[in-house]
Amino acid sequence: MKNKQSLGAFPRTRMRRNRGAEWTRRLVAEHRLAVDDLIWPVFVIEGEDRCEPIPTMPGVDRITIDRLSGAVAEAVDLGIPAVAVFPYTDPALKTPDAREAVNPDNLVCRAIARVKESHPGLGVICDVALDPFNSDGHDGLLRDGVVVNDETLDVLCQQALVQAGAGCDVIAPSDMMDGRVGAIRDALDGAGFAHVLIMSYAAKYASAFYEPFRDAVGSKAALKGDKKTYQMDPANTDEALREVALDIDEGADMVMVKPGLPYLDVVRRVKDAFGVPTFVYNVSGEFAMLKAAAGAGCLDYDRALMECLLAFKRAGADGILTYAALEAARLLKGSE
Ligand code: PBG
């Protein structure tokens, strides 16, 4: 901003003039949400021709693989660039060594393959972390009650390789183990997957806002304790910059801040400090909060949703993972 004098003063300056009509508000708008900014997370389950509502996420279902092509077809029609696929793993397949995570024929690998087969031009993103597969519900392996870092890295690398083998375009490590981005990058490069991207959950906080997601993937009942020894303390932002710096050094193509709304300051700091493609995860608890408020008649869902998504853009995000991606894309289309 220039010095105060040059900014004008009332009555010659009237801020309301620029806001006086729709056309001028459109001209002076500084930020815009576009369908190109949206990533749609979807949940898959075993079975045929089935969808299972997730009670804590109104309007979101777990769907069987045969329904996946139909579901993503709508995303493609709306112009959404990418989906993120999450599996609900049969509890009988969960083990302390999370071995189902590295099964090349597991649910999420089959889901990835199906999406790429039916919609090759749609980007497919997949988490690397052990929580959907681990009988302890943690993102890493547990030894004597402690989540162990370096042993977990080996499994994460194998997991990334089976997902890349299934056709996954973007590996998204969400586990918060130290050194995982570099380890996964080397593993991918060594196996002929140099073209596969890494979007790291770089600044991922130990948050209360993940609960509905843990219902959705069925890891809530399994989880013993909390994730504070690997996910970040909500009190810290300098630490977020160190996390992001390390992940970029280790080869991340894109970084993510998560959750979204309570961490807009972190999104802004990351974008300003590094200027790399920066994503934000509008997580399940944020989604549930808005749905609950709208359901209780406290606010207008569509308007509140678009305001929140625009806030991510204002904070500097290049893209947003949101369960409301289809709703937002439809609203954007309707307003064209
Ligand atoms: C798994 C993972 C989580 C989310 C994305 N990947 C949950 C967690 O870390 O416990 C949360 C997403 C959401 O709440 O929408 N590591």
Side-chain angles (χ1 to χ4, degrees), residues 22-64:
E22 170 72 17
W23 65 264
T24 166
R25 289 194 294 271
R26 272 167 48 212
L27 279 175
V28 302
E30 297 171 41
H31 298 281
R32 243 174 219 106
L33 178 73
V35 70
D36 294 342
D37 303 323
L38 301 172
I39 296 170
W40 185 40
V42 293
F43 297 104
V44 290
I45 42 165
E46 291 290 359
E48 264 172 52
D49 198 21
R50 222 154 48 85
C51 71
E52 257 178 30
I54 301 157
T56 50
M57 301 180 70
V60 179
D61 297 326
R62 304 181 191 102
I63 55 177
T64 50

Side-chain angles (χ1 to χ4, degrees), residues 4-268:
K4 203 172 164 220
Q5 224 170 353
S6 71
L7 290 175
F10 177 81
R12 286 182 176 149
T13 297
R14 289 180 182 269
M15 295 302 285
R16 292 183 55 189
R17 273 198 291 263
N18 281 341
R19 301 179 196 138
E22 170 72 17
W23 65 264
T24 166
R25 289 194 294 271
R26 272 167 48 212
L27 279 175
V28 302
E30 297 171 41
H31 298 281
R32 243 174 219 106
L33 178 73
V35 70
D36 294 342
D37 303 323
L38 301 172
I39 296 170
W40 185 40
V42 293
F43 297 104
V44 290
I45 42 165
E46 291 290 359
E48 264 172 52
D49 198 21
R50 222 154 48 85
C51 71
E52 257 178 30
I54 301 157
T56 50
M57 301 180 70
V60 179
D61 297 326
R62 304 181 191 102
I63 55 177
T64 50
I65 289 183
D66 53 351
R67 288 199 177 189
L68 197 52
S69 320
V72 302
E74 186 178 5
V76 171
D77 287 347
L78 286 164
I80 291 173
V83 295
V85 191
F86 293 97
Y88 175 93
T89 307
D90 178 352
L93 294 174
K94 295 188 186 189
T95 54
D97 62 0
R99 81 178 74 96
E100 183 63 6
V102 305
N103 171 7
D105 196 36
N106 69 18
L107 175 63
V108 83
C109 287
R110 280 180 279 126
I112 292 166
R114 177 63 64 90
V115 175
K116 288 313 290 183
E117 184 187 296
S118 65
H119 295 90
L122 179 69
V124 175
I125 301 168
C126 192
D127 261 35
V128 158
L130 303 184
D131 52 324
F133 311 97
N134 186 336
S135 46
D136 300 303
H138 277 288
D139 294 25
L141 298 174
L142 233 67
R143 295 272 180 269
D144 304 322
V146 175
V147 174
V148 288
N149 197 89
D150 300 11
E151 288 158 272
T152 297
L153 294 185
D154 294 334
V155 189
L156 296 175
C157 288
Q158 291 177 52
Q159 186 184 12
L161 291 179
V162 297
Q163 293 173 179
C168 184
D169 298 296
V170 184
I171 297 295
S174 69
D175 53 283
M176 291 299 277
M177 297 300 117
D178 287 320
R180 90 274 207 218
V181 172
I184 291 170
R185 185 70 271 163
D186 289 348
L188 289 171
D189 290 354
F193 295 118
H195 57 282
V196 171
L197 288 80
I198 295 179
M199 175 192 282
S200 78
Y201 287 68
K204 176 171 176 180
Y205 287 86
S207 170
F209 288 91
Y210 305 151
E211 298 267 312
F213 173 94
R214 292 177 191 167
D215 285 334
V217 300
S219 66
K220 190 161 160 182
L223 181 61
K224 300 186 181 96
D226 56 47
K227 300 190 176 184
K228 290 180 186 171
T229 68
Y230 46 104
Q231 298 181 346
M232 282 182 54
D233 183 342
N236 299 347
T237 65
D238 287 344
E239 188 184 343
L241 298 189
R242 284 183 81 191
E243 283 283 7
V244 171
L246 283 165
D247 286 2
I248 296 169
D249 280 350
E250 290 175 34
D253 302 286
M254 304 163 161
V255 297
M256 190 207 296
V257 173
K258 175 184 173 196
L261 292 175
Y263 297 89
L264 294 177
D265 57 324
V266 180
V267 177
R268 169 50 63 197

